[in-house]
């Protein structure tokens, strides 16, 4: 997926479902539940159970979705993720070698950064956009809004503290999209295999983001 396509998908859908699955079967059902309500961008964290296999399964089962991965800590994991079919990549940190390697094979990469220096460094190195993580640590919505003046040209995806209640505020503050994990997949619903309840969470998220 080219950066142009990736950015257009972010602008259109505005939300990324982040799945951290303790069992591959749970991850599969979590993805199906949110996809059933129209969530198109799904991230499987690389520390999920059998992440590479799950990515491959979802690429086949959900051809209308974009399946990527996150929590990539080194180039070895990144290369394995690309080999598994990941269509976009997230890292919790800024690693210039990883950014450049992803750019070389035209796979969108979104490094995690927090300070303006980290954000600009990631962007200047070729990042597709930048994940602001953990955004709540520096003030949440107010921090994203404060970055717009000097860094409004850099597409930002805040994660870490995004909820169904504040997602709209982050988008209004200037974020190109938001990433949700535990708020979209409450532990009690996953443990109970209550996929209908998770689908309802996704339905609510779609409603919120479509208002933007």
């Amino acid at each position: 997926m080219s950066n142009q396509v990736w950015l257009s998908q972010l602008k259109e859908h505005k939300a990324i479902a982040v799945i951290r699955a303790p069992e591959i079967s749970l991850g599969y059902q979590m993805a199906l539940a949110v996809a059933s309500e129209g969530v198109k961008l799904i991230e499987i964290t690389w520390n999920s159970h059998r992440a590479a296999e799950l990515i491959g399964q979802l690429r086949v089962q959900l051809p209308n979705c974009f399946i990527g991965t996150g929590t990539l800590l080194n180039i070895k994991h990144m290369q394995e993720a690309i080999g598994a079919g990941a269509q976009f990549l997230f890292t919790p940190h800024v690693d210039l070698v990883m950014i450049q390697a992803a750019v070389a094979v035209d796979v969108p990469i979104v490094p995690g950064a927090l300070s303006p220096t980290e954000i600009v460094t990631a962007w200047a190195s070729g990042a597709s956009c930048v994940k602001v993580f953990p955004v709540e640590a520096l003030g949440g919505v107010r921090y994203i809004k404060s970055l717009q003046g000097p860094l409004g040209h850099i597409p930002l995806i805040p994660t870490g503290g995004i909820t169904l209640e504040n997602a709209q505020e982050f988008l209004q503050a200037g974020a190109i999209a938001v990433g949700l994990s535990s708020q979209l997949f409450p532990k009690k619903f996953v443990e109970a295999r209550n996929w209908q309840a998770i689908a309802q969470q996704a339905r609510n998220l779609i409603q919120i983001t479509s208002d933007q």
Side-chain angles (χ1 to χ4, degrees):
M1 178 166 53
S2 69
N3 279 341
Q4 186 175 1
V5 172
W6 168 239
L7 290 172
S8 70
Q9 290 297 316
L10 288 173
K11 290 174 183 176
E12 180 179 357
H13 301 296
K14 301 184 181 67
I16 302 163
V18 181
I19 294 174
R20 181 170 284 104
E23 299 174 24
I24 187 172
S25 60
L26 292 179
Y28 183 73
Q29 293 297 332
M30 291 160 76
L32 293 188
V34 296
S36 71
E37 295 300 327
V39 173
K40 298 294 186 183
L41 305 175
I42 299 174
E43 173 193 329
I44 305 299
T45 64
W46 196 246
N47 55 2
S48 291
H49 180 231
R50 291 157 60 185
E53 185 178 343
L54 179 55
I55 290 166
Q57 287 183 355
L58 295 176
R59 285 293 309 275
V60 173
Q61 188 69 28
L62 301 173
N64 295 322
C65 293
F66 290 93
I67 310 299
T69 192
T71 321
L72 294 169
L73 298 176
N74 55 58
I75 189 115
K76 179 178 181 291
H77 289 167
M78 190 191 82
Q79 291 169 338
E80 290 172 351
I82 293 172
Q87 293 170 285
F88 59 85
L89 313 166
F90 275 74
T91 72
H93 63 309
V94 178
D95 184 316
L96 303 187
V97 173
M98 292 177 71
I99 294 172
Q100 291 158 8
V103 169
V105 294
D106 202 26
V107 178
I109 185 165
V110 186
L114 195 55
S115 71
T117 297
E118 290 173 335
I119 293 169
V120 172
T121 297
W123 179 250
S125 300
S128 309
C129 35
V130 180
K131 177 174 78 168
V132 183
F133 167 82
V135 70
E136 281 301 312
L138 283 185
V141 171
R142 289 186 297 110
Y143 186 57
I144 293 297
K145 192 176 294 185
S146 70
L147 292 172
Q148 293 308 299
L151 304 180
H153 61 292
I154 301 176
L156 303 177
I157 303 175
T159 70
I162 312 300
T163 67
L164 293 177
E165 290 72 32
N166 66 23
Q168 189 175 54
E169 293 180 70
F170 277 99
L171 295 170
Q172 291 171 340
I176 189 173
V178 292
L180 291 89
S181 181
S182 59
Q183 286 291 324
L184 190 55
F185 303 101
K187 186 177 180 181
K188 62 182 180 181
F189 292 162
V190 175
E191 290 180 342
R193 273 67 167 173
N194 191 342
W195 311 125
Q196 186 175 353
I198 288 176
Q200 180 62 57
Q201 293 285 100
R203 194 176 308 132
N204 294 341
L205 176 63
I206 292 293
Q207 180 62 50
I208 291 165
T209 55
S210 63
D211 290 340
Q212 292 304 299

